[in-house]
Amino acid sequence: MRKFFLSALFFFTLAHSLWPADCVQMTESEQNRFAGEFLEYAETEAAVADNAADFARRYRFFRVPDVFASFGYTPKNYLLRFNICRPALPQKIFVQIKGLYPEARAWYLQKNCEPTASCRAIAGIRVDPHRDALFAFENLPADEGTIYIAAFPPGSRRFPVHVLTADGLIRSEQRFFWLTGLFFGALAAILLYNAALFLALRERINLYYSVYLFLFLALFLTLERLPEDTFGHSDHRLYLFVRSAVFPLMLIPFALFNREFLQSRLKPWQNRVWQLLILTDVALIALNAAIPYRSMMVLNLWAVVIHSAIALT
């Protein structure tokens, strides 16, 4: 009997590690948690009401299709939620959704008051300007609760959600800017080297490669949403036009570079294909002014795939 009780005590002591908690736990050692494995979603209308206390009864939630909550380029809207464990002490936490989300809101709802319609949710304060959708929650109650997120990106419906403490956010931002600086610094060095070669040798291949690298840098600046740290979150049509038009614009010097690089080996039909692709790129730039951003991004990505495939043939 004594062995039985000792075994039972050992089993229950390790229970939380054998069956992971269904909520995000913030600790001293884990101050930046990826919440993807805890996410649930519900399809919603275009505008979500502020009454977060009613969300659990109004919507039917399901597990997300993957940890990044990727739904693709769809016009549907989604409400996300995940549970957050009881904190050891009241603390300030941040909820971060990495991506372009001009329209986004977040709420915290204490677990034991969710069934009551009179329960009031705590709205997250959006940190603006910031390249991501970042919400601050001050001194949450020392109890388990649920975070609800309503975010409507203009492009792909994809929601990589992180939960951070104040110290975790500082370290995350430092790491992001160090890695981003290293990446862009390396590209800038290659760009300046090829620009210097063009000025010295006047060879078009160096000019095409320099212009391609410059537009490639501009593309990644928009994808990393760095301009939003200066200009703030916006779904202005001009910003989305530039963000999308950079794709086909970048592919024009890419095509010219490949034609110049393979000039001696190009067959007549291959040369005509590159000419056709350049005309297609010009048409895609013009179409960005008329076709919605979400639809254009699909066409832009297909254009990148086709250009890459032709370059490899």
Side-chain angles (χ1 to χ4, degrees):
M1 183 64 70
R2 183 181 177 184
K3 291 183 178 180
F4 172 79
F5 282 116
L6 289 175
S7 300
L9 179 62
F10 179 76
F11 176 81
F12 286 113
T13 302
L14 297 180
H16 78 279
S17 60
L18 295 174
W19 287 282
D22 60 351
C23 56
V24 178
Q25 179 71 61
M26 306 303 294
T27 64
E28 285 293 329
S29 60
E30 294 181 293
Q31 299 188 12
N32 182 353
R33 294 291 308 275
F34 180 57
E37 61 184 293
F38 306 99
L39 280 177
E40 296 179 329
Y41 78 97
E43 288 190 25
T44 68
E45 58 277 8
V48 176
D50 285 327
N51 186 16
D54 193 44
F55 287 163
R57 292 191 301 274
R58 185 174 181 182
Y59 301 109
R60 186 179 180 187
F61 287 85
F62 305 92
R63 282 288 182 183
V64 292
D66 58 72
V67 293
F68 293 102
S70 304
F71 299 96
Y73 288 90
T74 173
K76 295 179 180 178
N77 295 306
Y78 300 97
L79 178 69
L80 303 176
R81 75 176 183 184
F82 64 91
N83 294 327
I84 187 161
C85 298
R86 180 195 298 269
L89 294 170
Q91 60 180 320
K92 183 176 183 177
I93 68 164
F94 294 87
V95 175
Q96 181 181 31
I97 320 166
K98 295 189 175 182
L100 176 64
Y101 303 95
E103 299 178 39
R105 288 174 292 168
W107 304 266
Y108 170 84
L109 193 63
Q110 200 168 342
K111 184 176 182 181
N112 59 11
C113 70
E114 194 165 6
T116 64
S118 61
C119 179
R120 296 186 62 183
I122 300 174
I125 301 172
R126 183 159 187 172
V127 179
D128 207 5
H130 191 275
R131 65 188 178 278
D132 298 316
L134 182 66
F135 298 92
F137 291 90
E138 296 266 7
N139 298 325
L140 294 181
D143 197 1
E144 184 176 340
T146 303
I147 299 286
Y148 288 92
I149 300 170
F152 308 108
S156 174
R157 297 297 197 250
R158 187 171 182 268
F159 308 93
V161 179
H162 291 256
V163 185
L164 310 97
T165 63
D167 291 340
L169 177 64
I170 292 172
R171 284 195 288 270
S172 175
E173 290 293 288
Q174 289 173 339
R175 181 174 181 270
F176 170 81
F177 283 110
W178 272 109
L179 293 177
T180 302
L182 182 64
F183 174 75
F184 285 110
L187 284 182
I190 300 172
L191 166 62
L192 293 174
Y193 174 73
N194 278 274
L197 284 179
F198 169 71
L199 293 175
L201 304 176
R202 298 293 176 178
E203 292 188 1
R204 287 181 297 180
I205 191 168
N206 297 117
L207 173 63
Y208 297 150
Y209 194 52
S210 297
V211 175
Y212 168 74
L213 284 176
F214 176 79
L215 294 172
F216 189 76
L217 278 168
L219 171 65
F220 269 87
L221 279 172
T222 61
L223 291 180
E224 291 294 346
R225 305 165 303 283
L226 292 182
E228 293 187 36
D229 278 342
T230 302
F231 300 111
H233 286 267
S234 173
D235 59 348
H236 290 167
R237 189 170 181 82
L238 178 61
Y239 178 76
L240 294 179
F241 170 80
V242 173
R243 184 182 169 98
S244 180
V246 168
F247 275 90
L249 186 61
M250 176 191 69
L251 292 175
I252 293 175
F254 176 82
L256 292 171
F257 172 83
N258 277 278
R259 283 182 62 196
E260 189 72 19
F261 183 71
L262 301 172
Q263 190 174 26
S264 60
R265 292 183 291 173
L266 275 183
K267 298 177 181 178
W269 69 269
Q270 290 175 313
N271 189 51
R272 287 193 294 270
V273 167
W274 282 117
Q275 290 175 342
L276 179 61
L277 288 176
I278 293 172
L279 293 175
T280 303
D281 295 332
V282 174
L284 285 175
I285 295 171
L287 286 174
N288 272 278
I291 297 179
Y293 173 83
R294 185 179 300 115
S295 302
M296 275 308 308
M297 285 301 293
V298 177
L299 296 177
N300 291 335
L301 293 175
W302 272 111
V304 171
V305 171
I306 292 171
H307 281 68
S308 301
I310 297 298
L312 293 173
T313 57

